[in-house]
Amino acid sequence: DGGITQSPKYLFRKEGQNVTLSCEQNLNHDAMYWYRQDPGQGLRLIYYSQIVNDFQKGDIAEGYSVSREKKESFPLTVTSAQKNPTAFYLCASSRGQPLPYEQYFGPGTRLTVT
Amino acid sequence: AQSVAQPEDQVNVAEGNPLTVKCTYSVSGNPYLFWYVQYPNRGLQFLLKYITGDNLVKGSYGFEAEFNKSQTSFHLKKPSALVSDSALYFCAVNNAGNMLTFGGGTRLMVKP
């Protein structure tokens, strides 16, 4: 998981509350990503950022928001608009374009909303 | 659009036997292919990638993968499986900047 930290490891929230998941990297990578993983499924891209102060929606951005004010940090907010927020959330980073660099993943945050 | 298929939800193999985890892909243009491994409640770890060149790619922990353009496949292999190889394996493809599309994952169970 080296170089990417996610906190907390487990997070519990009540329905209707917004919650922010932290992601920090010290790899000096330009690009950062947020994925959602549900049991028995692959990873789905929520948001990505190729450079500071810029980010793009992924395949399932509805109900989520992000910011990228610093190169090292890419926090994800799960809003009350997200209909089914309970999942395992993974943050990743990689070197920027143009080459297809591999992504490095953090250890993940398991969010449970009741 | 790009896509990845991992046709087996689970692969069972005895320790010491060779293992293969299958992956097929669909992309327009040149494919860039990756394999990752995930242990329970952990993030994904990069194993290997194919960008160009030799069709047989060697990676971490003794794993290798063979790129086959005509069959649009990128199967993961290891000559001799270990119990500690038991994990969830993901194949991924990239041909649009740094965006990865992941397969659904294959659970590898290696029995002693």
Side-chain angles (χ1 to χ4, degrees):
Chain A
D1 300 332
I4 302 179
T5 57
Q6 291 185 244
S7 60
K9 189 171 178 66
Y10 297 96
L11 191 53
F12 298 88
R13 280 294 183 270
K14 296 289 187 185
E15 253 185 53
Q17 293 180 335
N18 291 354
V19 60
T20 297
L21 282 60
S22 168
C23 177
E24 304 277 333
Q25 55 101 356
N26 62 3
L27 300 170
N28 199 33
H29 284 168
D30 288 315
M32 297 187 74
Y33 313 81
W34 274 106
Y35 293 92
R36 171 183 172 134
Q37 185 178 23
D38 293 286
Q41 298 190 28
L43 278 67
R44 292 183 290 170
L45 182 65
I46 304 172
Y47 268 99
Y48 63 98
S49 169
Q50 301 278 26
I51 197 169
V52 174
N53 291 323
D54 186 50
F55 49 83
Q56 306 294 329
K57 292 181 179 180
D59 300 321
I60 56 165
E62 185 175 351
Y64 300 97
S65 65
V66 294
S67 62
R68 186 87 187 277
E69 297 176 1
K70 298 187 300 182
K71 188 175 186 178
E72 304 79 19
S73 179
F74 191 41
L76 173 74
T77 296
V78 185
T79 75
S80 56
Q82 167 51 231
K83 291 182 173 30
N84 186 16
T86 295
F88 190 49
Y89 290 87
L90 289 161
C91 178
S93 71
S94 70
R95 296 183 192 179
Q97 295 189 12
L99 294 178
Y101 292 108
E102 59 270 25
Q103 295 181 12
Y104 292 86
F105 284 79
T109 292
R110 188 167 298 279
L111 173 65
T112 302
V113 177
T114 57
Chain B
Q2 55 194 36
S3 65
V4 176
Q6 294 181 241
E8 302 154 316
D9 289 337
Q10 182 162 315
V11 170
N12 298 310
V13 64
E15 188 174 30
N17 283 0
L19 71 87
T20 298
V21 182
K22 295 180 180 177
C23 171
T24 58
Y25 65 89
S26 173
V27 296
S28 55
N30 293 323
Y32 304 111
L33 297 154
F34 300 78
W35 275 102
Y36 287 84
V37 60
Q38 185 180 33
Y39 297 98
N41 294 311
R42 302 287 298 276
L44 276 65
Q45 295 178 31
F46 168 73
L47 282 178
L48 51 82
K49 67 181 178 184
Y50 172 82
I51 303 300
T52 187
D54 195 345
N55 289 343
L56 186 63
V57 179
K58 294 189 183 297
S60 306
Y61 313 120
F63 283 94
E64 57 190 27
E66 186 168 11
F67 172 65
N68 187 316
K69 188 172 183 178
S70 63
Q71 296 185 3
T72 62
S73 67
F74 189 56
H75 301 332
L76 181 70
K77 301 181 180 184
K78 188 174 183 181
S80 178
L82 300 172
V83 172
S84 58
D85 292 330
S86 298
L88 190 56
Y89 290 80
F90 289 99
C91 181
V93 66
N94 173 332
N95 83 332
N98 270 342
M99 297 308 106
L100 285 178
T101 298
F102 287 86
T106 298
R107 186 165 301 282
L108 174 65
M109 299 290 291
V110 182
K111 298 183 179 178

